[in-house]
């Protein structure tokens, strides 16, 4: 397969995912969302509760965040520290609460290290609701802290490309390049950038989680909260590994330094992959492994491209060195790109879930922009690979070879070797003279990939598209009566989120045929928030088919949909299902 065909195949695989990945996506969450509260949002209670509970879609932690309850005077009425048990948070309240309006405001930390914040109110007795503006001061840490986190992540990604990618290129493709001082400085700067980015991420996590500004950057309580979290420990480990790599690079390419550096490189890749979205949701171990391969592919590819621009393609490099190094990197870059595309598809299926989510969420649009830039880079890489094959892809003279005892044959073999070397030298000299198109292509690769790294840093701090899009309810339930199963009911609720929804109900008898009941009733209940039952208005649209077009779900939570079917005067059957609403 030619270089153009291979690049086209990778590009087709990447675009083909956009059309097909939604079919195979399974359920997964990668960002905690509040699904139920007790008391419920806007609940009116006769007596004050002893505690407030919050239930999320996945495990959360308090960290540097908070969970508070305020009265109408903005005074706190919670007592003691909130307790966290997996996905459930319990806030104890004072015993002497009077009739008043109360506001619950929270900022919890999900498994992917991002804060989940919000507020809701309830009233006790004959009181007025509390204005949610009381929670505005705690709503967010502002764009500056989040923006600095993007910079810190970008520093880490770019640092890996330099600190690991440049030495990898020198080891695998151009051993003579170890003598270029510029490249050694680049590798050292990369390792230092990884350490600096990791330290900045550690310092910023406290203000980011607590919703405070840069003034709290070195607040002792926030630093302690970050240091005691899995995220904080992982980032600190990355800083230490980067500093050790910086020391090991001083002794490269000695054998011991290379071995130690390889071990440190594996640790740096793993600690980069083991924070953020991969560690949340379904199958976190697999997600971390896939992300590690993705990071390694990025490191080898971008590090090699930078080494080409700053070392191999500069004046003074001999044609022979160019002829040896470029074909090696061409093969290495192609393997890296394949790894990036395959692991990128797996990651995106996990984080996005459906094609629709690409175009209705912030995460999806940023990802679409990243894919578009990657396709542009693949085009540039394809051009570069074709250039290498055209200018340096000819047969290279082999060292040694099979012995021929006849003197004439030996002389002929030696002359063929000489001719092959002469052809290779001429080919390399011609490549040096026509290097400008290749250099421009590599420069375009490096520029666009630097932007791709920025988008990757933004994606790492953006809630995954899957968590922002509700999953429709589509279930077939058995209708149970006094005599057992009396048929089935098929439920389709779209989009299964707060606000207007559309419900379709299909009734089937025991033989699987659509049947017309004497009476049909559907209700919705949210027991945790003491809402309902809410009766759903249905209209018949065909035999055994009913539609509820004006169904409104008032709030997020875990809802129960109950269907009661009266087949005749004496036979009544029921079915029910529960579903989350975010």
């Amino acid at each position: 397969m030619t270089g153009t065909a291979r690049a086209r195949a990778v590009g087709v695989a990447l675009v083909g995912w956009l059309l097909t990945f939604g079919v195979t996506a399974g359920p997964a969450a990668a960002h905690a969302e509040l699904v139920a509260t007790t008391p419920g949002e806007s609940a009116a209670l006769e007596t004050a509760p002893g505690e407030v509970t919050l239930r999320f879609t996945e495990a959360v932690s308090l960290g540097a965040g908070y969970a508070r309850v305020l009265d109408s005077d903005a005074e706190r009425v919670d007592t003691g520290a909130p307790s966290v048990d997996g996905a459930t948070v319990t806030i104890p309240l004072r015993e002497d609460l009077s009739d008043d309006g109360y506001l619950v405001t929270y900022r919890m930390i999900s498994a992917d290290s991002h804060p989940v914040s919000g507020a809701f109110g309830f009233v006790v007795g004959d009181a007025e609701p509390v204005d949610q503006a009381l929670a505005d001061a705690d709503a967010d840490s502002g764009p500056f802290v989040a923006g600095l986190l993007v910079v810190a992540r970008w520093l880490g990604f770019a640092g890996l490309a330099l600190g690991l990618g440049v030495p990898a290129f020198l080891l695998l493709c151009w051993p003579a390049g170890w003598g270029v001082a510029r490249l050694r400085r680049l590798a050292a700067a990369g390792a230092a950038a990884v350490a600096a980015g990791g330290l900045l991420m550690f310092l910023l996590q406290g203000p980011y989680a607590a919703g405070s500004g840069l003034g709290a950057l070195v607040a002792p309580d926030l630093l302690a909260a970050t240091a005691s979290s899995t995220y904080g420990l992982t980032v600190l480990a990355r800083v230490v590994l980067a500093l050790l790599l910086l020391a090991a690079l001083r002794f490269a390419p000695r054998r011991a330094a290379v071995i130690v550096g390889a071990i440190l490189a594996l640790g740096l890749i793993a600690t980069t992959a083991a924070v953020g979205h991969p560690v949340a949701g379904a199958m976190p171990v697999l997600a971390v492994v896939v992300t590690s391969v993705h990071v390694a592919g990025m490191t080898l590819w971008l590090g090699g491209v930078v080494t080409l621009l700053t070392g191999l393609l500069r004046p003074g490099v001999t044609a022979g060195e160019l002829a040896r190094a470029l074909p090696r990197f061409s093969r290495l870059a192609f393997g890296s790109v394949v790894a990036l595309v395959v692991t990128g598809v797996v990651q995106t299926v996990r984080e996005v879930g459906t094609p629709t989510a690409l175009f209705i969420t912030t995460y999806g649009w940023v990802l679409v922009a990243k894919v578009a830039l990657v396709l542009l880079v693949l085009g540039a890489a394809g051009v570069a690979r074709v250039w290498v094959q055209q200018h340096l892809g000819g047969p290279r003279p082999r060292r040694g070879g099979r012995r021929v005892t006849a003197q004439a044959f030996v002389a002929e073999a030696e002359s063929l070797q000489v001719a092959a070397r002469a052809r290779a030298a001429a080919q390399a000299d011609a490549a040096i003279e026509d290097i400008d198109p290749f250099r421009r292509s590599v420069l375009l690769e490096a520029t666009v990939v630097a932007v791709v790294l920025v988008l990757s840093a933004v994606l790492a701090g953006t809630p995954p598209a899957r968590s922002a899009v509700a999953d429709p309810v589509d279930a077939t339930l058995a209708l149970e009566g006094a005599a057992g199963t009396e048929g089935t009911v098929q439920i389709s609720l779209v989009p299964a989120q707060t606000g207007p929804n559309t419900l379709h109900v299909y009734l089937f008898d025991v033989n699987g045929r659509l049947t017309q009941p004497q009476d049909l009733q559907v209700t919705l209940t949210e027991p945790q928030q003491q809402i309902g039952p809410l009766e759903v208005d249905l209209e018949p649209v065909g035999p055994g088919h009913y539609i509820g077009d004006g169904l409104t779900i008032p709030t997020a939570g875990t809802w129960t949909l109950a269907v009661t079917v009266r087949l005749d005067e004496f036979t009544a059957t029921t079915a029910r299902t529960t579903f989350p609403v975010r």
Side-chain angles (χ1 to χ4, degrees):
M1 183 182 289
T2 66
T4 303
R6 289 178 178 176
R8 187 183 300 117
V10 174
V12 168
L14 188 60
V15 175
W17 159 80
L18 290 172
L19 303 176
T20 62
F21 80 99
V23 176
T24 58
H31 192 76
E33 298 286 339
L34 183 69
V35 294
T37 66
T38 305
E41 183 176 359
S42 303
L45 310 178
E46 294 182 0
T47 59
E51 62 187 20
V52 172
T53 60
L54 313 175
R55 187 155 57 88
F56 295 85
T57 54
E58 65 179 43
V60 294
S61 61
L62 190 60
Y66 55 81
R68 306 164 182 159
V69 182
L70 310 176
D71 62 16
S72 57
D73 295 323
E75 298 293 332
R76 292 183 62 172
V77 298
D78 53 288
T79 179
S83 62
V84 180
D85 182 13
T88 302
V89 180
T90 303
I91 311 171
L93 302 180
R94 295 203 312 248
E95 296 181 356
D96 58 344
L97 296 186
S98 60
D99 291 358
D100 198 355
Y102 296 95
L103 184 68
V104 182
T105 176
Y106 61 90
R107 191 176 180 91
M108 307 302 296
I109 312 303
S110 62
D112 60 7
S113 77
H114 301 310
V116 182
S117 60
F120 66 93
F122 64 92
V123 297
V124 177
D126 187 16
E128 293 295 323
V130 177
D131 188 352
Q132 291 203 10
L134 288 176
D136 286 349
D138 294 329
D140 203 351
S141 56
F144 196 57
V145 171
L148 283 178
L149 271 172
V150 172
V151 173
R153 296 187 195 103
W154 187 88
L155 269 178
F157 295 154
L160 284 177
L162 298 179
L164 302 183
V166 171
F169 183 97
L170 298 180
L171 286 170
L172 301 174
C173 304
W174 190 31
W178 284 110
V180 180
R182 182 187 308 106
L183 296 179
R184 297 179 69 94
R185 289 195 297 269
L186 267 180
V194 175
L199 182 60
L200 188 57
M201 288 174 65
F202 181 86
L203 293 175
L204 289 170
Q205 180 62 19
Y208 180 58
S212 53
L214 288 178
L217 194 66
V218 292
D221 57 334
L222 298 185
L223 290 176
T226 303
S228 63
S229 67
T230 302
Y231 172 89
L233 293 174
T234 304
V235 172
L236 283 179
R238 189 193 309 171
V239 172
V240 173
L241 290 171
L243 293 176
L244 292 175
L245 177 66
L246 183 61
L249 286 173
R250 295 173 59 88
F251 302 97
R254 297 177 188 174
R255 180 179 176 83
V258 170
I259 294 174
V260 171
I263 295 172
L264 294 173
L266 292 175
L268 283 169
I269 290 171
T271 53
T272 299
V275 295
H277 301 321
V279 298
M283 297 183 291
V285 175
L286 175 62
V288 169
V289 172
V290 169
T291 305
S292 296
V293 176
H294 195 77
V295 172
M298 176 277 297
T299 297
L300 291 174
W301 184 19
L302 183 54
V305 168
V306 172
T307 309
L308 287 178
L309 287 175
T310 57
L312 192 61
L313 299 182
R314 294 178 69 88
V317 178
T318 65
E321 289 180 289
L322 195 70
R324 285 189 293 272
L326 283 184
R328 294 174 184 173
F329 177 66
S330 181
R331 293 188 292 270
L332 178 65
F334 180 76
S336 299
V337 169
V338 171
L340 280 169
V341 171
V342 172
T343 55
V345 168
V346 174
Q347 287 176 311
T348 307
V349 169
R350 183 176 185 269
E351 306 297 347
V352 177
T354 62
T356 303
L358 281 173
F359 305 106
I360 62 174
T361 64
T362 301
Y363 188 98
W365 278 115
V366 175
L367 182 60
V368 168
K370 179 180 174 181
V371 170
L373 290 177
V374 169
L375 289 174
L376 177 61
V377 173
L378 288 178
V383 171
R385 184 172 174 82
V386 169
W387 186 95
V388 171
Q389 291 185 332
Q390 289 177 343
H391 290 76
L392 301 171
R396 307 254 72 82
R398 295 182 181 179
R399 294 182 179 179
R402 191 174 59 182
R403 277 193 165 185
V404 182
T405 54
Q407 188 71 25
F409 290 161
V410 170
E412 183 179 355
E414 289 179 351
S415 65
L416 289 175
Q417 290 282 340
V418 171
R421 291 192 184 96
R423 279 198 309 272
Q427 194 176 41
D429 290 337
I432 288 288
E433 295 177 1
D434 190 34
I435 198 71
D436 285 343
F438 180 75
R439 184 183 288 112
R440 287 194 294 268
S441 177
V442 173
L443 179 60
L444 177 62
E445 282 187 65
T447 303
V448 178
V449 172
V451 179
V452 169
L453 290 186
V454 174
L455 295 181
S456 298
V458 172
L459 284 173
T462 304
R466 183 188 291 275
S467 66
V469 177
D471 294 324
V473 177
D474 193 358
T476 300
L477 311 170
L479 287 167
E480 300 291 343
T485 300
E486 299 285 349
T488 58
V489 57
Q490 182 178 331
I491 301 295
S492 176
L493 180 65
V494 179
Q497 62 186 17
T498 56
N501 289 261
T502 298
L503 173 67
H504 288 267
V505 180
Y506 299 86
L507 298 174
F508 299 90
D509 61 18
V510 290
N511 296 316
R513 296 172 300 197
L514 286 166
T515 184
Q516 199 70 22
Q518 189 179 84
D519 184 51
L520 172 64
Q521 186 181 42
V522 176
T523 60
L524 286 171
T525 307
E526 215 300 346
Q528 291 280 344
Q529 303 181 58
Q530 302 176 8
I531 301 175
L534 308 176
E535 189 167 345
V536 179
D537 293 329
L538 298 173
E539 293 290 337
V541 292
H545 180 198
Y546 294 80
I547 185 171
D549 214 4
L551 187 158
T552 298
I553 299 178
T555 184
T558 301
W559 288 82
T560 299
L561 186 147
V563 180
T564 302
V565 179
R566 186 170 292 278
L567 300 174
D568 53 45
E569 187 177 351
F570 305 102
T571 306
T573 59
T574 59
R576 65 184 61 239
T577 185
T578 60
F579 59 94
V581 173
R582 295 194 285 269

